[in-house]
Amino acid sequence: MNTTFSLPRAVLTVAVTAALCLFPVTGVSITSAVAQDTASSSEPAAPTEEQIKAGLNVWKNRGGCFNCHGDFGQGGEGGHFPAGPSLRKSAMDLDTMKMVISCGLPGTKMPYNLEGAYVTEECYGVVDGEPMDVSPGTALSTQEIDDLVAYIGARVHGQRRITKDQCVEYFDDANAPECAAYR
C-alpha cells in the first residue's frame, strides 16, 4: 500500500467530498469523474516484453542478481557469493522487493542497489546520511530497478517450477545444454 502524501490526491479528495455534499441537492452527477480517476490509479500497467527483457539484462549483466539468488531466482548455493533466498517462493510483494533491491536489507548480506541510495534517495527514512548496516551493491538507475522488478514479477516471483521456456529465455539459446533437464 502506498502511503505517500499526494497534494493532487488530497485536493481531489476534498473536492469529491464537497461535491458529494453539495451535488445531490443540485442533481449533478460526478460518478464518471470519480470512476475515471479511480480506474487510472488503481493498478499499474502490466510490464511490456521490452521491459521484462531489460530486467533480465539487469538480472544477468548489471545487477549480478544471479550470483546470490541463482540463475532463475531459485535461491543461491553460496560459494563465492552469499546464498540468497529463493525469489520464486518469496512472500514479499513486488513493492517490498523493489524497496529491498533499492535500499538493501539492513543486517543481512543484501546490498543496496539504487544509485544515490541513502545519499540523495531516501531509504528507510534516511537521506543525506549513512546507510544502516547495509553494504553498497551495483549503482542501478530507477528505470533499471523498475525493469528488474518487472522481470522478477513476470518470470520469477510465484513461479515454483522452472520451465524449459524460462531457461531458453535466460540463456537466449533453444539448444543451451543447461536447459536439457527442464520441460
Side-chain angles (χ1 to χ4, degrees):
M1 183 167 96
N2 189 357
T3 58
T4 304
F5 177 76
S6 169
L7 184 58
R9 174 68 70 190
V11 170
L12 177 65
T13 302
V14 170
V16 168
T17 303
L20 289 173
C21 292
L22 298 174
F23 287 142
V25 175
T26 62
V28 176
S29 173
I30 61 164
T31 307
S32 62
V34 172
Q36 261 184 339
D37 180 64
T38 304
S40 67
S41 65
S42 62
E43 289 294 322
T48 65
E49 283 301 313
E50 181 179 289
Q51 188 177 21
I52 293 167
K53 285 181 190 266
L56 174 57
N57 183 54
V58 173
W59 178 274
K60 288 175 29 177
N61 301 314
R62 285 273 296 133
C65 310
F66 69 92
N67 287 317
C68 299
H69 296 284
D71 288 340
F72 308 106
Q74 75 275 21
E77 297 175 10
H80 295 295
F81 296 93
S86 170
L87 300 180
R88 291 177 166 274
K89 297 176 184 176
S90 177
M92 270 191 236
D93 61 47
L94 294 177
D95 288 336
T96 303
M97 210 172 280
K98 179 179 178 177
M99 182 184 68
V100 170
I101 292 166
S102 298
C103 299
L105 197 56
T108 72
K109 301 276 186 187
M110 179 64 193
Y112 62 87
N113 292 287
L114 177 62
E115 185 173 35
Y118 298 96
V119 178
T120 58
E121 301 295 327
E122 183 178 336
C123 284
Y124 304 113
V126 177
V127 67
D128 198 24
E130 288 293 315
M132 311 170 299
D133 191 25
V134 63
S135 302
T138 305
L140 299 174
S141 70
T142 302
Q143 184 61 57
E144 287 175 306
I145 289 177
D146 287 344
D147 292 344
L148 177 58
V149 172
Y151 167 72
I152 292 169
R155 301 290 195 267
V156 177
H157 191 253
Q159 306 283 318
R160 301 298 175 147
R161 188 172 64 84
I162 301 164
T163 67
K164 183 164 184 134
D165 288 343
Q166 291 169 338
C167 185
V168 168
E169 178 184 40
Y170 183 86
F171 289 105
D172 197 26
D173 180 0
N175 298 312
E178 296 87 349
C179 300
Y182 300 106
R183 358 180 228 122

